[in-house]
Amino acid sequence: MSLSPHKIVWNNCLSIIKDNIQSTSFSTWFEPIVPLKLKNNVLTIEVPSHFFREYIEEHFIDLLGHCLRKELGNSAKLEYYVKVDSHSKGVPMPHQEQGQYQNRSIPFTRINKDEVASPYVVPGLRQVKINPQLNPAYSFNNFVEGACNKLARTAGMSIAEKPGGPFNPLFIYGKSGLGKTHLAQAIGIEVKKKLPEKIVLYVSANLFQIQFMDAVNIKNKLTDFMRFYQMIDILIIDDVQDFAGKPGTQNAYFNIFNHLHQSGKQLILTSDKAPVDLKDLDDRLLSRFKWGLSAELQSPDYPTRLAILEKKAYNEGVEVPAEVLEFIARQVTTNVREIEGTFCSLLAQSTINKKPITMQLARVITDRLVNNTPKEITVQEIKKAVCQYFDIAPDVLLSKTRKREICQARQIAMYLSRNHTKNSLSTIGSLVGGKDHATVLHSCNTVNNLMDTDRMFRQYVTDIEKQLKNG
Protein backbone atom coordinates (compact mmCIF):
# COMPACT_ATOMS: atom_id res chain seq x y z
CA MET A 1 0.00 0.00 0.00
CA SER A 2 1.51 3.36 -1.06
CA LEU A 3 1.99 6.16 1.43
CA SER A 4 0.01 9.42 1.26
CA PRO A 5 1.86 12.48 -0.09
CA HIS A 6 2.03 14.16 3.34
CA LYS A 7 3.63 11.06 4.87
CA ILE A 8 6.14 10.79 2.04
CA VAL A 9 7.16 14.46 2.47
CA TRP A 10 7.44 14.09 6.25
CA ASN A 11 9.47 10.87 6.04
CA ASN A 12 11.88 12.54 3.62
CA CYS A 13 12.22 15.48 6.02
CA LEU A 14 12.86 13.11 8.94
CA SER A 15 15.66 11.34 7.08
CA ILE A 16 17.48 14.67 6.68
CA ILE A 17 16.74 15.85 10.23
CA LYS A 18 17.98 12.57 11.72
CA ASP A 19 21.38 13.07 10.09
CA ASN A 20 21.73 16.57 11.50
CA ILE A 21 20.74 16.32 15.18
CA GLN A 22 21.54 14.02 18.09
CA SER A 23 19.59 10.77 18.30
CA THR A 24 18.13 11.66 21.73
CA SER A 25 16.80 14.98 20.39
CA PHE A 26 15.35 13.22 17.36
CA SER A 27 13.51 10.61 19.43
CA THR A 28 12.27 13.22 21.91
CA TRP A 29 11.13 15.95 19.56
CA PHE A 30 10.43 14.40 16.16
CA GLU A 31 9.28 10.83 16.65
CA PRO A 32 6.07 11.95 18.50
CA ILE A 33 5.07 14.22 15.57
CA VAL A 34 2.35 12.91 13.29
CA PRO A 35 1.91 14.29 9.72
CA LEU A 36 -1.80 14.95 9.07
CA LYS A 37 -2.22 16.47 5.62
CA LEU A 38 -0.60 18.32 2.75
CA LYS A 39 -2.69 20.94 0.93
CA ASN A 40 -1.59 23.87 -1.22
CA ASN A 41 2.02 23.32 -0.14
CA VAL A 42 1.02 23.61 3.54
CA LEU A 43 2.12 20.60 5.59
CA THR A 44 0.06 20.12 8.76
CA ILE A 45 1.70 18.20 11.60
CA GLU A 46 0.22 17.15 14.96
CA VAL A 47 2.26 17.93 18.10
CA PRO A 48 1.44 16.88 21.68
CA SER A 49 1.35 20.34 23.34
CA HIS A 50 1.88 24.06 22.98
CA PHE A 51 5.22 23.72 24.78
CA PHE A 52 6.26 21.10 22.24
CA ARG A 53 5.40 23.46 19.38
CA GLU A 54 7.29 26.37 20.99
CA TYR A 55 10.38 24.20 21.53
CA ILE A 56 10.35 23.07 17.90
CA GLU A 57 10.00 26.71 16.77
CA GLU A 58 12.86 27.88 18.96
CA HIS A 59 15.41 25.13 18.33
CA PHE A 60 14.68 23.34 15.06
CA ILE A 61 12.63 25.62 12.80
CA ASP A 62 15.58 26.57 10.53
CA LEU A 63 16.41 22.92 9.89
CA LEU A 64 12.76 21.99 9.48
CA GLY A 65 12.18 24.90 7.11
CA HIS A 66 15.18 23.89 5.00
CA CYS A 67 13.83 20.33 4.70
CA LEU A 68 10.35 21.49 3.72
CA ARG A 69 11.66 23.87 1.07
CA LYS A 70 13.82 21.08 -0.32
CA GLU A 71 10.74 18.84 -0.63
CA LEU A 72 8.04 21.38 -1.61
CA GLY A 73 9.86 24.44 -2.95
CA ASN A 74 10.17 28.01 -1.63
CA SER A 75 6.40 28.36 -1.15
CA ALA A 76 6.32 25.58 1.48
CA LYS A 77 4.51 26.40 4.72
CA LEU A 78 4.09 24.59 8.02
CA GLU A 79 0.97 24.38 10.18
CA TYR A 80 0.75 22.83 13.63
CA TYR A 81 -2.19 20.92 15.06
CA VAL A 82 -1.91 21.04 18.85
CA LYS A 83 -3.62 18.13 20.59
CA VAL A 84 -3.34 18.44 24.35
CA ASP A 85 -4.81 15.03 25.23
CA SER A 86 -6.78 12.19 23.68
CA HIS A 87 -10.12 13.82 24.55
CA SER A 88 -9.44 17.39 23.51
CA LYS A 89 -10.02 18.78 20.08
CA GLY A 90 -6.89 19.95 18.29
CA VAL A 91 -6.50 23.52 17.11
CA PRO A 92 -4.57 24.38 13.91
CA MET A 93 -1.83 27.00 14.25
CA PRO A 94 0.49 28.49 11.62
CA HIS A 95 4.24 28.46 11.88
CA GLN A 96 5.13 31.70 13.68
CA GLU A 97 7.41 33.89 11.60
CA GLN A 98 10.59 34.36 13.64
CA GLY A 99 12.94 35.64 10.95
CA GLN A 100 15.38 38.38 11.84
CA TYR A 101 15.75 40.47 8.69
CA GLN A 102 19.27 41.78 8.37
CA ASN A 103 20.94 44.07 5.86
CA ARG A 104 24.28 43.20 4.31
CA SER A 105 27.35 45.03 5.57
CA ILE A 106 28.28 48.07 3.48
CA PRO A 107 31.38 50.31 3.26
CA PHE A 108 31.16 53.51 5.29
CA THR A 109 34.02 55.88 6.05
CA ARG A 110 33.09 58.35 8.76
CA ILE A 111 34.41 61.88 8.75
CA ASN A 112 33.87 62.08 12.51
CA LYS A 113 35.97 59.14 13.75
CA ASP A 114 34.86 59.42 17.38
CA GLU A 115 31.14 59.07 16.85
CA VAL A 116 28.84 56.42 15.48
CA ALA A 117 26.78 57.94 12.65
CA SER A 118 23.51 56.28 13.66
CA PRO A 119 22.12 54.07 16.44
CA TYR A 120 21.53 51.50 13.70
CA VAL A 121 25.23 51.22 12.89
CA VAL A 122 27.61 48.84 14.62
CA PRO A 123 31.05 50.52 14.73
CA GLY A 124 33.68 49.01 12.43
CA LEU A 125 36.77 50.03 10.54
CA ARG A 126 35.45 49.57 7.00
CA GLN A 127 32.04 47.95 7.15
CA VAL A 128 28.82 48.85 8.96
CA LYS A 129 25.74 46.72 9.46
CA ILE A 130 22.38 48.52 9.42
CA ASN A 131 19.60 46.97 11.44
CA PRO A 132 16.43 47.38 9.31
CA GLN A 133 14.27 47.71 12.49
CA LEU A 134 11.57 45.43 11.07
CA ASN A 135 9.14 43.50 13.27
CA PRO A 136 8.61 39.98 11.82
CA ALA A 137 5.01 40.01 13.08
CA TYR A 138 4.21 42.88 10.69
CA SER A 139 4.26 40.74 7.55
CA PHE A 140 1.87 40.57 4.62
CA ASN A 141 0.79 37.13 5.87
CA ASN A 142 -0.64 38.82 8.97
CA PHE A 143 -2.14 41.79 7.11
CA VAL A 144 -5.78 41.16 6.24
CA GLU A 145 -6.82 42.67 2.91
CA GLY A 146 -10.19 44.38 2.54
CA ALA A 147 -11.87 47.14 0.61
CA CYS A 148 -10.51 49.58 3.21
CA ASN A 149 -6.85 48.92 2.34
CA LYS A 150 -6.76 47.13 -1.02
CA LEU A 151 -5.13 49.95 -3.01
CA ALA A 152 -2.34 50.48 -0.48
CA ARG A 153 -1.69 46.75 -0.04
CA THR A 154 -1.60 46.12 -3.81
CA ALA A 155 0.84 49.02 -4.28
CA GLY A 156 2.96 47.65 -1.43
CA MET A 157 3.18 44.21 -3.04
CA SER A 158 4.16 45.85 -6.34
CA ILE A 159 6.92 47.81 -4.60
CA ALA A 160 8.25 44.64 -2.97
CA GLU A 161 8.63 43.13 -6.45
CA LYS A 162 10.27 46.22 -7.97
CA PRO A 163 11.30 49.04 -5.59
CA GLY A 164 11.77 52.49 -7.07
CA GLY A 165 9.02 52.03 -9.67
CA PRO A 166 5.95 54.18 -10.39
CA PHE A 167 4.75 54.20 -6.75
CA ASN A 168 7.66 56.27 -5.51
CA PRO A 169 7.14 57.66 -2.99
CA LEU A 170 4.31 55.60 -1.51
CA PHE A 171 2.43 57.84 0.92
CA ILE A 172 0.15 55.81 3.23
CA TYR A 173 -2.28 57.85 5.32
CA GLY A 174 -5.24 57.28 7.61
CA LYS A 175 -6.42 57.60 11.19
CA SER A 176 -4.60 55.96 14.08
CA GLY A 177 -4.88 52.19 14.46
CA LEU A 178 -5.73 51.31 10.85
CA GLY A 179 -2.48 49.47 10.06
CA LYS A 180 -0.17 52.07 8.50
CA THR A 181 2.91 50.92 10.40
CA HIS A 182 2.05 47.26 9.79
CA LEU A 183 1.72 47.79 6.03
CA ALA A 184 4.87 49.92 5.75
CA GLN A 185 6.92 47.32 7.61
CA ALA A 186 5.32 44.48 5.61
CA ILE A 187 6.70 46.08 2.45
CA GLY A 188 10.15 46.21 3.99
CA ILE A 189 9.94 42.57 5.11
CA GLU A 190 8.78 41.43 1.68
CA VAL A 191 11.66 43.32 0.03
CA LYS A 192 14.15 41.57 2.32
CA LYS A 193 12.62 38.20 1.37
CA LYS A 194 12.64 38.81 -2.37
CA LEU A 195 15.69 41.09 -2.65
CA PRO A 196 17.91 40.37 0.36
CA GLU A 197 20.76 42.45 -0.99
CA LYS A 198 18.67 45.65 -0.67
CA ILE A 199 19.33 47.90 2.35
CA VAL A 200 16.01 48.51 4.12
CA LEU A 201 15.47 50.86 7.07
CA TYR A 202 12.34 51.66 9.06
CA VAL A 203 12.51 54.72 11.31
CA SER A 204 9.89 56.89 12.99
CA ALA A 205 9.87 60.59 12.13
CA ASN A 206 10.40 61.39 15.81
CA LEU A 207 13.57 59.27 15.99
CA PHE A 208 14.81 60.77 12.72
CA GLN A 209 14.34 64.20 14.32
CA ILE A 210 16.30 63.16 17.44
CA GLN A 211 19.16 61.79 15.33
CA PHE A 212 19.24 65.00 13.29
CA MET A 213 19.35 67.21 16.39
CA ASP A 214 22.14 65.06 17.81
CA ALA A 215 24.08 65.31 14.55
CA VAL A 216 23.95 69.12 14.21
CA ASN A 217 25.63 69.59 17.59
CA ILE A 218 28.85 67.73 16.77
CA LYS A 219 31.41 68.74 14.17
CA ASN A 220 31.20 66.68 10.95
CA LYS A 221 28.48 64.42 12.37
CA LEU A 222 25.76 66.02 10.23
CA THR A 223 27.71 64.99 7.15
CA ASP A 224 27.89 61.42 8.48
CA PHE A 225 24.15 61.53 9.22
CA MET A 226 23.29 62.61 5.67
CA ARG A 227 25.67 60.09 4.05
CA PHE A 228 24.27 57.29 6.20
CA TYR A 229 20.67 57.88 5.06
CA GLN A 230 21.74 58.35 1.45
CA MET A 231 23.01 54.74 1.42
CA ILE A 232 19.54 53.26 2.08
CA ASP A 233 17.71 51.46 -0.75
CA ILE A 234 14.23 51.43 0.84
CA LEU A 235 13.67 54.14 3.45
CA ILE A 236 10.46 53.95 5.50
CA ILE A 237 9.55 57.02 7.56
CA ASP A 238 6.62 56.52 9.96
CA ASP A 239 4.37 59.38 11.16
CA VAL A 240 5.87 62.01 8.88
CA GLN A 241 3.39 64.57 10.27
CA ASP A 242 5.79 64.83 13.24
CA PHE A 243 8.15 66.84 11.00
CA ALA A 244 5.68 69.76 11.25
CA GLY A 245 7.22 72.94 12.61
CA LYS A 246 10.78 71.54 12.43
CA PRO A 247 12.37 73.34 9.43
CA GLY A 248 15.88 71.96 10.01
CA THR A 249 14.71 68.35 10.05
CA GLN A 250 12.49 68.99 7.03
CA ASN A 251 15.43 70.40 5.08
CA ALA A 252 17.61 67.40 5.95
CA TYR A 253 14.90 64.96 4.89
CA PHE A 254 14.23 67.02 1.74
CA ASN A 255 17.87 66.57 0.64
CA ILE A 256 17.86 62.87 1.54
CA PHE A 257 14.56 62.43 -0.34
CA ASN A 258 15.97 64.09 -3.46
CA HIS A 259 19.13 62.00 -3.42
CA LEU A 260 17.32 58.69 -2.94
CA HIS A 261 14.57 59.45 -5.45
CA GLN A 262 17.04 60.54 -8.14
CA SER A 263 19.04 57.37 -7.48
CA GLY A 264 15.98 55.17 -8.05
CA LYS A 265 15.69 54.21 -4.38
CA GLN A 266 12.26 53.61 -2.82
CA LEU A 267 10.68 55.97 -0.28
CA ILE A 268 7.70 54.99 1.89
CA LEU A 269 5.97 57.41 4.24
CA THR A 270 3.03 57.16 6.63
CA SER A 271 0.93 59.94 8.08
CA ASP A 272 -2.34 60.50 9.90
CA LYS A 273 -3.37 63.00 7.20
CA ALA A 274 -3.28 63.25 3.42
CA PRO A 275 -0.46 65.43 1.99
CA VAL A 276 -2.93 68.20 1.17
CA ASP A 277 -4.06 68.38 4.83
CA LEU A 278 -0.60 68.48 6.46
CA LYS A 279 0.25 71.76 8.18
CA ASP A 280 3.58 73.48 8.93
CA LEU A 281 5.50 71.49 6.33
CA ASP A 282 7.66 72.98 3.58
CA ASP A 283 5.79 73.27 0.27
CA ARG A 284 8.79 71.69 -1.50
CA LEU A 285 8.42 68.62 0.70
CA LEU A 286 4.65 68.43 0.31
CA SER A 287 4.94 68.56 -3.47
CA ARG A 288 7.34 65.62 -3.40
CA PHE A 289 4.98 63.60 -1.24
CA LYS A 290 2.53 63.81 -4.15
CA TRP A 291 4.97 62.57 -6.79
CA GLY A 292 4.08 58.89 -6.41
CA LEU A 293 0.94 57.33 -4.96
CA SER A 294 -1.07 58.51 -1.97
CA ALA A 295 -3.13 55.62 -0.58
CA GLU A 296 -5.65 55.98 2.24
CA LEU A 297 -6.36 53.31 4.85
CA GLN A 298 -10.00 53.54 5.94
CA SER A 299 -11.89 52.01 8.84
CA PRO A 300 -12.47 48.30 8.11
CA ASP A 301 -15.93 47.19 7.04
CA TYR A 302 -17.71 44.25 8.67
CA PRO A 303 -16.27 41.47 6.43
CA THR A 304 -12.75 42.79 6.99
CA ARG A 305 -13.25 43.11 10.75
CA LEU A 306 -14.49 39.52 10.89
CA ALA A 307 -11.54 38.32 8.78
CA ILE A 308 -9.11 40.12 11.14
CA LEU A 309 -10.62 38.33 14.15
CA GLU A 310 -10.54 34.95 12.40
CA LYS A 311 -6.89 35.51 11.48
CA LYS A 312 -6.08 36.52 15.04
CA ALA A 313 -7.75 33.42 16.46
CA TYR A 314 -5.91 31.22 13.96
CA ASN A 315 -2.54 32.80 14.75
CA GLU A 316 -3.12 32.38 18.48
CA GLY A 317 -4.21 28.77 18.07
CA VAL A 318 -7.53 29.43 19.82
CA GLU A 319 -10.90 28.06 18.82
CA VAL A 320 -13.52 30.80 19.21
CA PRO A 321 -17.22 30.27 18.46
CA ALA A 322 -18.23 31.95 15.20
CA GLU A 323 -21.05 33.85 16.91
CA VAL A 324 -18.53 35.45 19.30
CA LEU A 325 -16.29 36.64 16.47
CA GLU A 326 -19.32 37.99 14.60
CA PHE A 327 -20.51 39.80 17.74
CA ILE A 328 -17.13 41.50 18.27
CA ALA A 329 -16.95 42.44 14.58
CA ARG A 330 -20.33 44.17 14.88
CA GLN A 331 -19.52 45.94 18.14
CA VAL A 332 -15.96 47.18 17.52
CA THR A 333 -16.06 49.29 14.38
CA THR A 334 -13.41 51.96 14.81
CA ASN A 335 -10.00 50.53 13.91
CA VAL A 336 -7.85 47.41 13.72
CA ARG A 337 -5.99 48.16 16.96
CA GLU A 338 -9.20 48.20 19.00
CA ILE A 339 -10.46 45.04 17.30
CA GLU A 340 -7.27 43.16 18.19
CA GLY A 341 -7.19 44.71 21.68
CA THR A 342 -10.73 43.51 22.38
CA PHE A 343 -9.85 40.01 21.17
CA CYS A 344 -6.71 39.90 23.34
CA SER A 345 -8.70 41.02 26.40
CA LEU A 346 -11.26 38.30 25.72
CA LEU A 347 -8.50 35.69 25.40
CA ALA A 348 -6.76 36.90 28.58
CA GLN A 349 -9.99 36.75 30.62
CA SER A 350 -10.68 33.26 29.35
CA THR A 351 -7.15 32.01 30.07
CA ILE A 352 -6.60 33.63 33.48
CA ASN A 353 -10.04 32.80 34.88
CA LYS A 354 -10.18 29.38 33.16
CA LYS A 355 -13.50 30.27 31.56
CA PRO A 356 -14.70 29.15 28.12
CA ILE A 357 -15.06 31.86 25.48
CA THR A 358 -18.80 32.49 25.31
CA MET A 359 -21.18 35.20 24.15
CA GLN A 360 -21.71 36.24 27.77
CA LEU A 361 -17.97 36.80 28.31
CA ALA A 362 -17.73 38.65 24.96
CA ARG A 363 -20.53 41.02 26.01
CA VAL A 364 -18.80 41.75 29.32
CA ILE A 365 -15.51 42.57 27.56
CA THR A 366 -17.03 44.74 24.83
CA ASP A 367 -19.22 46.63 27.33
CA ARG A 368 -16.06 47.39 29.29
CA LEU A 369 -13.87 48.42 26.36
CA VAL A 370 -16.15 49.78 23.65
CA ASN A 371 -17.80 53.15 24.00
CA ASN A 372 -21.10 52.95 22.12
CA THR A 373 -22.34 56.29 23.44
CA PRO A 374 -23.29 58.46 20.46
CA LYS A 375 -20.98 61.42 19.94
CA GLU A 376 -22.56 64.73 20.93
CA ILE A 377 -22.76 67.10 17.97
CA THR A 378 -22.33 70.86 18.50
CA VAL A 379 -23.68 73.84 16.57
CA GLN A 380 -20.09 74.78 15.72
CA GLU A 381 -19.51 71.36 14.10
CA ILE A 382 -22.76 71.68 12.16
CA LYS A 383 -21.80 75.11 10.80
CA LYS A 384 -18.38 73.76 9.79
CA ALA A 385 -19.90 70.74 8.04
CA VAL A 386 -22.42 72.90 6.14
CA CYS A 387 -19.68 75.31 5.03
CA GLN A 388 -17.46 72.46 3.83
CA TYR A 389 -20.32 70.75 1.98
CA PHE A 390 -21.41 73.88 0.09
CA ASP A 391 -17.85 75.28 -0.14
CA ILE A 392 -18.67 78.62 1.47
CA ALA A 393 -16.72 80.63 4.05
CA PRO A 394 -18.00 80.63 7.67
CA ASP A 395 -18.35 84.44 7.72
CA VAL A 396 -20.48 84.30 4.56
CA LEU A 397 -22.80 81.72 6.17
CA LEU A 398 -23.36 84.09 9.12
CA SER A 399 -23.67 87.25 7.00
CA LYS A 400 -26.92 89.09 6.20
CA THR A 401 -26.79 88.27 2.50
CA ARG A 402 -30.10 87.15 0.92
CA LYS A 403 -28.54 85.06 -1.86
CA ARG A 404 -30.64 81.94 -2.28
CA GLU A 405 -27.82 79.38 -1.91
CA ILE A 406 -26.48 81.10 1.24
CA CYS A 407 -29.93 81.40 2.80
CA GLN A 408 -30.63 77.71 2.20
CA ALA A 409 -27.27 76.70 3.70
CA ARG A 410 -28.01 78.83 6.77
CA GLN A 411 -31.49 77.28 7.06
CA ILE A 412 -30.02 73.77 6.87
CA ALA A 413 -27.55 74.68 9.65
CA MET A 414 -30.46 75.82 11.84
CA TYR A 415 -32.52 72.73 11.01
CA LEU A 416 -29.67 70.35 11.87
CA SER A 417 -28.85 72.28 15.04
CA ARG A 418 -32.44 71.90 16.21
CA ASN A 419 -32.52 68.15 15.42
CA HIS A 420 -29.05 67.19 16.68
CA THR A 421 -28.35 69.47 19.65
CA LYS A 422 -30.14 70.29 22.88
CA ASN A 423 -29.89 74.04 22.35
CA SER A 424 -32.97 76.25 22.43
CA LEU A 425 -34.22 78.03 19.30
CA SER A 426 -32.94 81.34 20.68
CA THR A 427 -29.46 79.91 21.33
CA ILE A 428 -29.33 78.39 17.84
CA GLY A 429 -30.39 81.70 16.30
CA SER A 430 -27.70 83.59 18.20
CA LEU A 431 -25.03 81.13 17.03
CA VAL A 432 -26.16 81.05 13.38
CA GLY A 433 -26.11 84.63 12.18
CA GLY A 434 -27.61 86.30 15.24
CA LYS A 435 -31.23 85.43 14.36
CA ASP A 436 -34.22 85.28 16.72
CA HIS A 437 -36.17 82.13 17.64
CA ALA A 438 -38.96 82.90 15.14
CA THR A 439 -36.46 82.96 12.26
CA VAL A 440 -35.03 79.62 13.37
CA LEU A 441 -38.51 78.08 13.55
CA HIS A 442 -39.39 79.41 10.09
CA SER A 443 -36.09 78.02 8.70
CA CYS A 444 -36.79 74.57 10.15
CA ASN A 445 -40.28 74.53 8.60
CA THR A 446 -38.85 75.64 5.25
CA VAL A 447 -36.25 72.85 5.27
CA ASN A 448 -38.92 70.28 6.16
CA ASN A 449 -41.09 71.41 3.24
CA LEU A 450 -38.19 71.40 0.76
CA MET A 451 -37.12 67.91 1.85
CA ASP A 452 -40.64 66.67 1.06
CA THR A 453 -40.72 68.20 -2.41
CA ASP A 454 -37.11 68.48 -3.62
CA ARG A 455 -35.14 65.22 -3.87
CA MET A 456 -31.83 67.01 -4.49
CA PHE A 457 -32.31 69.24 -1.45
CA ARG A 458 -33.16 66.18 0.68
CA GLN A 459 -29.91 64.59 -0.47
CA TYR A 460 -27.98 67.68 0.69
CA VAL A 461 -29.34 67.33 4.21
CA THR A 462 -28.81 63.55 4.29
CA ASP A 463 -25.19 63.88 3.15
CA ILE A 464 -24.37 66.46 5.82
CA GLU A 465 -26.03 64.34 8.52
CA LYS A 466 -23.91 61.34 7.50
CA GLN A 467 -20.79 63.49 7.59
CA LEU A 468 -21.62 64.65 11.13
CA LYS A 469 -22.31 61.13 12.40
CA ASN A 470 -19.10 59.75 10.90
CA GLY A 471 -17.06 62.47 12.55
Side-chain angles (χ1 to χ4, degrees), residues 108 110 121-128:
F108 184 82
R110 295 194 302 275
V121 180
V122 179
L125 293 175
R126 296 182 181 178
Q127 302 284 321
V128 295

Side-chain angles (χ1 to χ4, degrees), residues 398-416:
L398 305 180
S399 68
K400 296 185 181 299
T401 180
R402 302 300 301 169
K403 288 184 178 178
R404 181 171 174 271
E405 61 272 19
I406 304 300
C407 284
Q408 285 192 345
R410 190 185 304 126
Q411 289 170 337
I412 289 173
M414 293 178 183
Y415 169 84
L416 293 174

Side-chain angles (χ1 to χ4, degrees), residues 16-279:
I16 299 173
I17 293 169
K18 193 172 185 177
D19 292 336
N20 286 274
I21 65 174
Q22 294 180 355
S23 58
T24 53
S25 295
F26 181 82
S27 60
T28 302
W29 299 108
F30 286 93
E31 286 184 356
I33 295 175
V34 179
L36 296 181
K37 62 180 179 179
L38 177 62
K39 185 177 181 180
N40 297 329
N41 262 20
V42 179
L43 177 67
T44 303
I45 58 174
E46 182 183 277
V47 295
S49 67
H50 286 285
F51 171 75
F52 201 100
R53 176 190 65 82
E54 289 170 1
Y55 193 90
I56 293 287
E57 288 271 305
E58 184 176 350
H59 295 90
F60 302 115
I61 194 60
D62 289 339
L63 176 58
L64 188 51
H66 170 76
C67 296
L68 281 175
R69 286 190 292 273
K70 185 176 184 297
E71 290 296 315
L72 300 173
N74 290 332
S75 62
K77 292 185 179 180
L78 181 65
E79 181 180 79
Y80 300 95
Y81 195 80
V82 181
K83 196 173 182 71
V84 179
D85 54 51
S86 58
H87 302 291
S88 64
K89 184 178 180 181
V91 179
M93 296 182 68
H95 153 59
Q96 301 298 313
E97 205 160 351
Q98 303 287 345
Q100 294 298 314
Y101 302 99
Q102 298 294 335
N103 290 312
R104 60 182 168 83
S105 298
I106 55 175
F108 184 82
T109 305
R110 295 194 302 275
I111 294 175
N112 182 0
K113 303 294 185 182
D114 299 324
E115 296 290 332
V116 177
S118 163
Y120 302 121
V121 180
V122 179
L125 293 175
R126 296 182 181 178
Q127 302 284 321
V128 295
K129 198 171 187 67
I130 301 172
N131 186 335
Q133 303 294 310
L134 298 172
N135 183 344
Y138 287 162
S139 65
F140 275 119
N141 286 339
N142 292 330
F143 189 88
V144 176
E145 181 180 318
C148 56
N149 58 38
K150 187 170 185 178
L151 173 63
R153 188 184 188 281
T154 303
M157 292 296 288
S158 175
I159 287 170
E161 294 285 345
K162 187 178 179 182
F167 306 133
N168 193 21
L170 175 63
F171 191 98
I172 306 168
Y173 68 95
K175 294 180 181 178
S176 177
L178 295 179
K180 300 185 296 295
T181 299
H182 186 153
L183 180 56
Q185 289 218 11
I187 299 170
I189 288 172
E190 199 68 17
V191 169
K192 291 305 297 178
K193 287 181 180 178
K194 295 179 181 298
L195 303 165
E197 75 282 359
K198 295 290 185 183
I199 305 299
V200 177
L201 178 62
Y202 165 89
V203 60
S204 69
N206 184 55
L207 185 54
F208 183 94
Q209 153 77 5
I210 293 171
Q211 292 172 10
F212 170 75
M213 292 303 295
D214 182 46
V216 296
N217 292 322
I218 300 174
K219 183 180 179 182
N220 292 329
K221 193 175 180 185
L222 182 57
T223 303
D224 285 347
F225 172 85
M226 298 295 290
R227 290 183 62 246
F228 168 78
Y229 273 99
Q230 288 171 354
M231 294 188 300
I232 308 300
D233 294 316
I234 291 89
L235 179 58
I236 305 167
I237 300 287
D238 203 2
D239 291 325
V240 74
Q241 74 276 358
D242 289 345
F243 285 163
K246 301 178 177 72
T249 306
Q250 291 178 38
N251 188 60
Y253 181 68
F254 172 80
N255 289 305
I256 291 168
F257 183 107
N258 282 346
H259 178 87
L260 294 179
H261 197 277
Q262 290 169 9
S263 303
K265 307 298 179 65
Q266 179 67 47
L267 295 123
I268 300 168
L269 307 102
T270 77
S271 171
D272 61 358
K273 297 182 181 68
V276 70
D277 295 323
L278 288 171
K279 307 295 183 185

Side-chain angles (χ1 to χ4, degrees), residues 398 414 424-437 439-440:
L398 305 180
M414 293 178 183
S424 65
L425 296 179
S426 298
T427 301
I428 293 171
S430 66
L431 293 172
V432 186
K435 309 298 182 182
D436 58 27
H437 76 283
T439 303
V440 176

Side-chain angles (χ1 to χ4, degrees), residues 275-440:
V276 70
D277 295 323
L278 288 171
K279 307 295 183 185
D280 298 322
L281 283 175
D282 193 319
D283 288 341
R284 299 179 305 164
L285 209 51
L286 289 174
S287 69
R288 279 156 177 76
F289 291 168
K290 302 171 189 175
W291 278 359
L293 174 67
S294 295
E296 182 181 11
L297 297 189
Q298 300 174 332
S299 296
D301 55 15
Y302 174 77
T304 308
R305 297 195 299 270
L306 184 57
I308 290 169
L309 289 165
E310 290 171 343
K311 183 74 173 179
K312 190 75 175 172
Y314 174 67
N315 284 345
E316 295 292 337
V318 180
E319 191 166 26
V320 182
E323 63 175 356
V324 171
L325 297 180
E326 291 165 1
F327 173 76
I328 297 173
R330 286 194 301 270
Q331 294 296 309
V332 188
T333 61
T334 47
N335 60 55
V336 178
R337 190 175 296 147
E338 288 196 7
I339 293 168
E340 293 186 339
T342 303
F343 179 86
C344 290
S345 297
L346 178 68
L347 183 58
Q349 286 289 332
S350 172
T351 304
I352 294 170
N353 298 320
K354 294 182 168 58
K355 292 181 178 179
I357 296 177
T358 62
M359 280 294 294
Q360 182 180 359
L361 182 60
R363 286 193 178 94
V364 171
I365 297 299
T366 53
D367 287 346
R368 188 182 304 163
L369 297 178
V370 180
N371 180 15
N372 289 319
T373 306
K375 176 178 173 287
E376 187 172 336
I377 298 171
T378 66
V379 175
Q380 186 64 29
E381 290 171 336
I382 291 170
K383 290 191 293 184
K384 182 179 178 181
V386 170
C387 288
Q388 288 178 340
Y389 188 82
F390 291 109
D391 194 22
I392 57 178
D395 56 336
V396 174
L397 179 72
L398 305 180
S399 68
K400 296 185 181 299
T401 180
R402 302 300 301 169
K403 288 184 178 178
R404 181 171 174 271
E405 61 272 19
I406 304 300
C407 284
Q408 285 192 345
R410 190 185 304 126
Q411 289 170 337
I412 289 173
M414 293 178 183
Y415 169 84
L416 293 174
S417 297
R418 185 187 184 190
N419 285 1
H420 295 283
T421 74
K422 298 177 181 178
N423 293 301
S424 65
L425 296 179
S426 298
T427 301
I428 293 171
S430 66
L431 293 172
V432 186
K435 309 298 182 182
D436 58 27
H437 76 283
T439 303
V440 176

